[in-house]
Amino acid sequence: MTTPPSQQIPGIYHRKIGDIIVTAVSDGYLDGSLDVMRNVDLDAAHQVLKDAFRPARRTSVNAFLIQSRGRTAIVDTGSGNYLLPTAGMVQRNLARAGIDAKSIDTVLLTHMHPDHSAGLVDMSNGALLYPNAELVMHENEPKHWFDDGAMAKSDERGKKLYFQAGREQVEPYRKRTRLFTGGEVFPGVTAVPSLGHTPGHTAYLIASGKDQLMIWGDTVHVPEVQTAFPEAGMAFDTDLAAAAAARKRMFDRVASDGTLVAGMHLHFPSFARLRRKGNAYELLPEPWVHEFE
Ligand SMILES: [Zn+2]
């Protein structure tokens, strides 16, 4: 007699990049519709999902722990208790993997959107969830989201969800925030600004020995559709055209070099390579391995 399971085994997956261990940590997922997509024929987008046996837009949300030269960073923090109950699992999954959030010394943000930065704090009381971490991000991020003029131009939803909430998430770390424009931002980790989705949206390239991993942030939100139609963007891209240009540059770079990629909205655990397919691309997920040494 066995007990039927009621929950998944924790969403944790380790991958070695040279001497660095990168751990994909699932925050869960967010379900939504394709109506938020821009610059794409929605019927064609629906057909792409249908052909991929995905009847709806289910967006995986991932964070990545980096253990490098005695230091520990996490890239993004998931959505905490701010969005939907299907997400916000980062802290729980870290704990189940035996990782104490207090031992994380650096939080690298790809950008300030609630599915990435709401997990910085308990949104019900503002308590820091990474009390010993330095917060590190591109200088354009706080410059934009703390700009009252930019906020005034946003619609009500954007004001609340992105500007106001973003400020609440980042403000408690103000005294321990480090801003960059590029360069090595953590041992073995180089910032690769990929501006457009937000003004400071940044990918992180992890390199050790011969191995490389590009954590490409929000280069895609709907992987099936945006690899098929690279110009397709999202209503919440701050600059739709710049985001599309950044996506095409990133696609070209990682496909040309055969670079291993990981992403915040690639299906967990997300490690994959990108291959050219005519004028479009396709993602080839990396096979799961038990031993990661
Ligand atoms: Zn996102």
Side-chain angles (χ1 to χ4, degrees):
M1 174 72 187
T2 55
T3 310
S6 61
Q7 263 197 354
Q8 203 60 269
I9 299 292
I12 287 284
Y13 186 79
H14 306 292
R15 176 72 162 81
K16 255 196 146 185
I17 305 296
D19 296 329
I20 299 174
I21 297 176
V22 178
T23 301
V25 184
S26 174
D27 191 52
Y29 60 87
L30 300 168
D31 282 339
S33 89
L34 288 184
D35 297 345
V36 289
M37 295 205 80
R38 297 290 180 269
N39 283 344
V40 67
D41 179 289
L42 284 185
D43 289 337
H46 278 290
Q47 191 61 47
V48 166
L49 283 194
K50 207 168 161 229
D51 291 346
F53 300 96
R54 299 190 189 278
R57 174 170 74 89
R58 172 159 291 183
T59 303
S60 190
V61 180
N62 309 312
F64 297 90
L65 194 82
I66 301 172
Q67 291 167 291
S68 174
R69 290 178 227 159
R71 304 259 317 264
T72 307
I74 192 164
V75 185
D76 289 350
T77 63
S79 55
N81 53 5
Y82 187 62
L83 294 176
L84 297 173
T86 54
M89 315 288 178
V90 163
Q91 290 279 333
R92 194 182 315 172
N93 281 332
L94 283 175
R96 284 168 173 171
I99 296 152
D100 182 355
K102 291 192 191 73
S103 68
I104 295 174
D105 59 74
T106 306
V107 177
L108 300 169
L109 275 192
T110 60
H111 61 300
M112 286 171 58
H113 265 174
D115 49 325
H116 303 259
S117 50
L120 280 168
V121 295
D122 180 336
M123 288 293 279
S124 69
N125 58 21
L128 274 63
L129 297 180
Y130 299 91
N132 298 311
E134 181 180 41
L135 177 62
V136 180
M137 63 182 143
H138 194 286
E139 66 173 20
N140 290 359
E141 281 301 285
K143 196 190 269 179
H144 176 70
W145 301 111
F146 281 82
D147 177 354
D148 291 336
M151 182 163 161
K153 287 184 210 143
S154 174
D155 61 17
E156 285 312 308
R157 185 174 181 275
K159 275 181 189 146
K160 181 172 181 291
L161 195 61
Y162 301 126
F163 285 89
Q164 198 181 309
R167 293 175 187 194
E168 286 170 30
Q169 291 148 16
V170 158
E171 180 64 31
Y173 290 82
R174 183 179 280 271
K175 290 200 179 105
R176 52 173 99 183
T177 296
R178 171 163 55 97
L179 303 175
F180 61 75
T181 54
E184 191 179 43
V185 292
F186 187 79
V189 181
T190 303
V192 181
S194 188
L195 316 180
H197 172 53
T198 64
H201 177 261
T202 296
Y204 294 101
L205 181 69
I206 297 164
S208 174
K210 297 192 302 292
D211 291 352
Q212 286 197 335
L213 168 69
M214 180 74 84
I215 299 180
W216 74 11
D218 279 14
T219 292
V220 300
H221 295 82
V222 191
E224 297 84 358
V225 175
Q226 288 169 297
T227 51
F229 304 109
E231 68 284 0
M234 312 303 287
F236 43 86
D237 287 335
T238 306
D239 182 333
L240 202 56
R247 177 165 42 257
K248 288 175 185 173
R249 277 196 305 274
M250 180 63 77
F251 278 2
D252 183 56
R253 174 175 174 168
V254 299
S256 299
D257 298 346
T259 310
L260 182 70
V261 301
M264 281 51 198
H265 303 310
L266 298 182
H267 303 294
F268 184 82
S270 102
F271 297 101
R273 285 189 171 76
L274 189 74
R275 175 165 74 181
R276 265 196 195 82
K277 196 181 173 190
N279 293 326
Y281 295 87
E282 92 184 304
L283 275 165
L284 303 171
E286 188 178 58
W288 195 95
V289 291
H290 188 69
E291 296 295 337
F292 64 93
E293 288 295 328

Coordinates of all heavy atoms in Angstrom, one line a residue, residues 31-86:
D31 N -1.1 31.6 -15.2 CA -2.0 31.3 -16.4 C -2.5 32.6 -16.8 O -2.9 33.5 -16.0 CB -3.1 30.3 -16.0 CG -2.6 28.9 -16.0 OD1 -1.6 28.6 -16.6 OD2 -3.3 28.1 -15.4
G32 N -2.6 32.8 -18.2 CA -3.2 34.0 -18.7 C -3.6 33.8 -20.1 O -3.6 32.6 -20.6
S33 N -4.1 34.8 -20.8 CA -4.5 34.7 -22.2 C -3.5 35.3 -23.1 O -2.5 35.9 -22.7 CB -5.9 35.3 -22.4 OG -5.7 36.7 -22.7
L34 N -3.7 35.0 -24.4 CA -2.8 35.6 -25.4 C -3.1 37.0 -25.8 O -2.4 37.7 -26.5 CB -2.8 34.7 -26.7 CG -2.1 33.4 -26.6 CD1 -2.1 32.7 -27.9 CD2 -0.6 33.5 -26.1
D35 N -4.2 37.6 -25.2 CA -4.7 38.9 -25.6 C -3.6 40.0 -25.2 O -3.7 41.1 -25.7 CB -6.0 39.3 -24.9 CG -7.1 38.3 -25.3 OD1 -6.9 37.6 -26.4 OD2 -8.2 38.3 -24.7
V36 N -2.7 39.7 -24.3 CA -1.7 40.7 -23.9 C -0.5 40.7 -24.9 O 0.4 41.5 -24.8 CB -1.1 40.4 -22.5 CG1 -2.1 40.8 -21.5 CG2 -0.6 38.9 -22.4
M37 N -0.6 39.8 -26.0 CA 0.5 39.8 -27.0 C 0.3 40.9 -28.0 O -0.8 41.3 -28.3 CB 0.6 38.4 -27.7 CG 1.0 37.3 -26.7 SD 1.8 35.9 -27.5 CE 3.5 36.6 -27.7
R38 N 1.4 41.4 -28.5 CA 1.4 42.5 -29.5 C 2.2 42.1 -30.7 O 3.1 41.3 -30.6 CB 1.9 43.8 -28.8 CG 1.1 44.3 -27.7 CD -0.3 44.9 -28.1 NE -1.1 45.4 -27.0 CZ -2.0 44.7 -26.3 NH1 -2.2 43.4 -26.6 NH2 -2.7 45.2 -25.4
N39 N 2.0 42.8 -31.8 CA 2.8 42.6 -33.0 C 2.7 41.1 -33.5 O 3.7 40.6 -33.9 CB 4.2 43.0 -32.8 CG 4.4 44.5 -32.9 OD1 3.5 45.2 -33.4 ND2 5.5 45.0 -32.5
V40 N 1.6 40.5 -33.3 CA 1.5 39.1 -33.8 C 0.0 38.8 -34.1 O -0.9 39.4 -33.4 CB 2.0 38.1 -32.7 CG1 1.1 38.1 -31.5 CG2 2.1 36.7 -33.3
D41 N -0.3 38.1 -35.1 CA -1.6 37.7 -35.4 C -2.1 36.7 -34.4 O -1.5 35.6 -34.2 CB -1.6 37.0 -36.8 CG -3.0 36.5 -37.2 OD1 -3.5 35.5 -36.7 OD2 -3.6 37.2 -38.1
L42 N -3.1 37.0 -33.6 CA -3.5 36.2 -32.5 C -4.0 34.8 -32.9 O -3.8 33.8 -32.2 CB -4.6 36.9 -31.6 CG -4.0 38.0 -30.7 CD1 -5.1 38.6 -29.8 CD2 -2.8 37.6 -29.9
D43 N -4.6 34.7 -34.1 CA -5.1 33.4 -34.5 C -3.8 32.5 -34.8 O -3.8 31.3 -34.4 CB -5.9 33.5 -35.8 CG -7.3 34.1 -35.5 OD1 -7.7 34.0 -34.4 OD2 -7.8 34.7 -36.5
A44 N -2.8 33.1 -35.4 CA -1.6 32.3 -35.7 C -0.9 31.9 -34.3 O -0.4 30.8 -34.2 CB -0.6 33.2 -36.5
A45 N -0.9 32.8 -33.4 CA -0.3 32.6 -32.1 C -1.1 31.4 -31.4 O -0.5 30.5 -30.8 CB -0.4 33.8 -31.2
H46 N -2.4 31.5 -31.4 CA -3.2 30.4 -30.8 C -2.9 29.0 -31.5 O -2.8 28.0 -30.8 CB -4.7 30.7 -31.0 CG -5.2 31.6 -29.9 ND1 -5.3 31.2 -28.6 CD2 -5.6 32.9 -29.9 CE1 -5.8 32.2 -27.8 NE2 -6.0 33.2 -28.6
Q47 N -2.7 29.1 -32.8 CA -2.4 27.9 -33.6 C -1.1 27.3 -33.1 O -0.9 26.1 -33.0 CB -2.5 28.1 -35.1 CG -2.4 26.9 -35.9 CD -3.6 26.0 -35.7 OE1 -4.8 26.4 -35.6 NE2 -3.4 24.7 -35.5
V48 N -0.1 28.2 -32.9 CA 1.2 27.7 -32.5 C 1.1 27.0 -31.1 O 1.7 25.9 -30.9 CB 2.2 28.9 -32.3 CG1 3.5 28.5 -31.5 CG2 2.6 29.4 -33.7
L49 N 0.3 27.5 -30.2 CA 0.1 26.9 -28.9 C -0.6 25.6 -29.1 O -0.2 24.5 -28.5 CB -0.6 27.8 -28.0 CG 0.1 28.9 -27.3 CD1 -0.7 29.5 -26.1 CD2 1.5 28.5 -26.8
K50 N -1.6 25.6 -29.9 CA -2.4 24.3 -30.1 C -1.5 23.2 -30.7 O -1.5 22.1 -30.3 CB -3.5 24.7 -31.1 CG -4.7 23.8 -31.0 CD -5.9 24.3 -31.7 CE -6.9 23.2 -31.9 NZ -7.4 23.0 -33.3
D51 N -0.6 23.6 -31.7 CA 0.3 22.7 -32.3 C 1.3 22.1 -31.3 O 1.8 21.0 -31.5 CB 1.0 23.3 -33.5 CG 0.1 23.6 -34.7 OD1 -1.1 23.1 -34.7 OD2 0.5 24.4 -35.6
A52 N 1.6 22.9 -30.3 CA 2.5 22.5 -29.3 C 1.8 21.8 -28.1 O 2.4 21.5 -27.1 CB 3.3 23.7 -28.7
F53 N 0.5 21.4 -28.3 CA -0.3 20.8 -27.3 C -0.4 21.6 -26.0 O -0.4 21.1 -24.9 CB 0.3 19.4 -27.0 CG 0.3 18.5 -28.2 CD1 1.4 18.3 -29.0 CD2 -0.9 17.8 -28.6 CE1 1.4 17.5 -30.1 CE2 -0.9 17.0 -29.7 CZ 0.2 16.9 -30.5
R54 N -0.4 22.9 -26.2 CA -0.6 23.8 -25.0 C -1.9 24.7 -25.3 O -1.8 25.6 -26.0 CB 0.6 24.7 -24.9 CG 1.9 23.9 -24.6 CD 3.0 24.8 -24.2 NE 4.2 24.1 -24.1 CZ 4.6 23.3 -23.1 NH1 3.9 23.2 -22.0 NH2 5.8 22.7 -23.2
P55 N -3.0 24.2 -24.8 CA -4.2 24.9 -25.1 C -4.3 26.4 -24.6 O -5.2 27.1 -25.1 CB -5.3 24.0 -24.4 CG -4.6 23.3 -23.4 CD -3.2 23.1 -23.8
A56 N -3.5 26.7 -23.7 CA -3.6 28.1 -23.1 C -2.2 28.6 -22.8 O -1.2 27.8 -22.9 CB -4.4 28.2 -21.9
R57 N -2.1 29.9 -22.5 CA -0.8 30.5 -22.1 C -0.5 30.1 -20.6 O -1.1 30.7 -19.8 CB -0.8 32.0 -22.3 CG 0.5 32.6 -21.8 CD 0.6 34.1 -22.3 NE -0.3 35.0 -21.6 CZ 0.1 35.6 -20.4 NH1 1.2 35.4 -19.8 NH2 -0.8 36.4 -19.8
R58 N 0.4 29.2 -20.4 CA 0.8 28.9 -19.0 C 2.3 29.4 -18.9 O 3.1 28.9 -19.6 CB 0.7 27.5 -18.7 CG 1.3 27.1 -17.4 CD 0.8 25.8 -16.8 NE -0.6 26.0 -16.3 CZ -1.3 25.0 -15.7 NH1 -0.7 23.8 -15.5 NH2 -2.5 25.2 -15.4
T59 N 2.5 30.4 -18.1 CA 3.8 31.0 -18.0 C 4.6 30.4 -16.8 O 4.2 30.7 -15.6 CB 3.7 32.5 -17.9 OG1 3.0 33.0 -19.1 CG2 5.1 33.2 -17.9
S60 N 5.6 29.7 -17.0 CA 6.5 29.2 -15.9 C 7.2 30.4 -15.4 O 7.5 31.3 -16.1 CB 7.5 28.2 -16.6 OG 8.2 27.5 -15.6
V61 N 7.4 30.4 -14.1 CA 8.2 31.5 -13.4 C 9.3 30.8 -12.7 O 9.1 30.0 -11.9 CB 7.3 32.4 -12.5 CG1 8.2 33.5 -11.8 CG2 6.1 33.0 -13.2
N62 N 10.6 31.3 -13.1 CA 11.7 30.6 -12.5 C 12.7 31.7 -11.9 O 12.7 32.8 -12.4 CB 12.5 29.9 -13.6 CG 11.7 28.9 -14.4 OD1 10.9 28.2 -13.8 ND2 11.8 29.0 -15.7
A63 N 13.4 31.2 -10.9 CA 14.6 32.0 -10.4 C 15.8 31.1 -10.5 O 15.6 29.9 -10.6 CB 14.3 32.4 -8.9
F64 N 17.0 31.6 -10.3 CA 18.2 30.8 -10.5 C 19.2 31.1 -9.4 O 19.6 32.3 -9.2 CB 18.8 31.0 -11.8 CG 17.9 30.6 -13.0 CD1 17.0 31.5 -13.5 CD2 17.9 29.3 -13.4 CE1 16.2 31.1 -14.5 CE2 17.0 28.8 -14.4 CZ 16.2 29.7 -15.0
L65 N 19.5 30.1 -8.6 CA 20.5 30.3 -7.5 C 21.9 30.0 -8.2 O 22.1 29.1 -9.0 CB 20.3 29.2 -6.4 CG 21.0 29.5 -5.1 CD1 20.2 30.5 -4.3 CD2 21.1 28.2 -4.3
I66 N 22.9 30.8 -7.8 CA 24.2 30.7 -8.3 C 25.2 30.5 -7.1 O 25.3 31.4 -6.3 CB 24.7 31.9 -9.1 CG1 23.7 32.1 -10.3 CG2 26.1 31.8 -9.6 CD1 23.9 33.4 -11.1
Q67 N 25.9 29.4 -7.1 CA 26.9 29.2 -6.0 C 28.3 29.3 -6.7 O 28.6 28.4 -7.5 CB 26.7 27.9 -5.3 CG 25.4 28.0 -4.5 CD 24.9 26.6 -4.0 OE1 24.5 25.8 -4.8 NE2 25.0 26.3 -2.7
S68 N 29.0 30.3 -6.4 CA 30.3 30.6 -7.1 C 31.3 31.1 -6.2 O 31.1 32.1 -5.5 CB 30.0 31.6 -8.2 OG 31.2 32.0 -8.9
R69 N 32.5 30.4 -6.1 CA 33.6 30.8 -5.3 C 33.2 31.2 -3.9 O 33.6 32.3 -3.4 CB 34.4 32.0 -6.0 CG 35.1 31.5 -7.2 CD 35.8 32.6 -8.0 NE 35.5 32.6 -9.4 CZ 35.6 33.6 -10.2 NH1 36.0 34.8 -9.8 NH2 35.3 33.5 -11.5
G70 N 32.5 30.4 -3.2 CA 32.1 30.6 -1.8 C 31.0 31.6 -1.6 O 30.6 31.9 -0.5
R71 N 30.5 32.2 -2.7 CA 29.4 33.1 -2.6 C 28.1 32.6 -3.2 O 28.1 31.6 -3.9 CB 29.8 34.4 -3.4 CG 31.1 35.1 -3.0 CD 30.9 36.3 -2.1 NE 29.8 37.1 -2.6 CZ 30.0 38.2 -3.4 NH1 31.2 38.6 -3.8 NH2 28.9 39.0 -3.7
T72 N 27.0 33.1 -2.7 CA 25.7 32.6 -3.2 C 24.8 33.8 -3.7 O 24.6 34.8 -2.9 CB 24.9 31.8 -2.1 OG1 25.8 30.8 -1.6 CG2 23.7 31.2 -2.7
A73 N 24.3 33.7 -4.9 CA 23.4 34.8 -5.4 C 22.1 34.1 -5.9 O 22.1 32.9 -6.2 CB 24.1 35.5 -6.6
I74 N 21.1 34.9 -6.0 CA 19.9 34.4 -6.6 C 19.5 35.4 -7.7 O 19.6 36.6 -7.5 CB 18.7 34.1 -5.7 CG1 17.6 33.3 -6.4 CG2 18.2 35.4 -5.0 CD1 16.6 32.6 -5.4
V75 N 19.2 34.9 -8.9 CA 18.8 35.8 -10.0 C 17.2 35.8 -10.0 O 16.6 34.8 -10.2 CB 19.3 35.4 -11.4 CG1 18.9 36.4 -12.4 CG2 20.8 35.1 -11.3
D76 N 16.7 36.9 -9.6 CA 15.2 37.2 -9.4 C 14.7 36.4 -8.2 O 15.3 35.5 -7.7 CB 14.5 36.8 -10.7 CG 14.7 37.9 -11.8 OD1 15.3 38.9 -11.5 OD2 14.3 37.7 -12.9
T77 N 13.5 36.7 -7.8 CA 13.0 36.2 -6.6 C 11.6 35.7 -6.7 O 10.9 35.3 -5.7 CB 12.9 37.3 -5.5 OG1 12.0 38.4 -5.9 CG2 14.3 37.9 -5.3
G78 N 11.0 35.6 -8.0 CA 9.7 35.1 -8.1 C 8.7 36.2 -7.7 O 9.0 37.4 -7.4
S79 N 7.4 35.7 -7.5 CA 6.3 36.7 -7.3 C 5.9 36.8 -5.8 O 4.9 37.5 -5.6 CB 5.2 36.3 -8.2 OG 4.8 35.0 -8.0
G80 N 6.6 36.1 -4.9 CA 6.2 36.2 -3.5 C 4.7 35.9 -3.3 O 4.1 35.1 -3.9
N81 N 4.1 36.7 -2.4 CA 2.7 36.6 -2.1 C 1.9 37.6 -2.8 O 0.8 38.0 -2.4 CB 2.4 36.6 -0.6 CG 3.0 37.8 0.1 OD1 3.5 38.7 -0.6 ND2 2.9 37.8 1.4
Y82 N 2.4 38.1 -4.0 CA 1.8 39.3 -4.6 C 0.8 39.0 -5.8 O -0.1 39.7 -6.0 CB 2.8 40.3 -5.1 CG 2.3 41.6 -5.6 CD1 1.6 42.4 -4.7 CD2 2.5 42.0 -6.9 CE1 1.0 43.6 -5.2 CE2 2.0 43.2 -7.4 CZ 1.2 44.0 -6.5 OH 0.7 45.2 -7.0
L83 N 1.1 37.9 -6.5 CA 0.3 37.6 -7.7 C -0.7 36.5 -7.5 O -1.8 36.8 -6.8 CB 1.2 37.3 -8.9 CG 2.1 38.6 -9.3 CD1 3.1 38.2 -10.4 CD2 1.2 39.8 -9.7
L84 N -0.5 35.3 -8.0 CA -1.5 34.2 -8.0 C -1.0 33.1 -7.1 O 0.2 32.9 -6.9 CB -1.8 33.7 -9.4 CG -2.4 34.7 -10.4 CD1 -2.4 34.0 -11.8 CD2 -3.8 35.1 -10.0
P85 N -2.0 32.3 -6.5 CA -1.6 31.2 -5.6 C -0.8 30.1 -6.3 O -0.2 29.2 -5.7 CB -2.9 30.7 -5.0 CG -4.0 31.3 -5.8 CD -3.4 32.5 -6.5
T86 N -0.8 30.1 -7.7 CA -0.1 29.1 -8.4 C 1.4 29.4 -8.5 O 2.2 28.6 -9.0 CB -0.6 29.0 -9.9 OG1 -0.6 30.3 -10.5 CG2 -2.0 28.4 -9.9

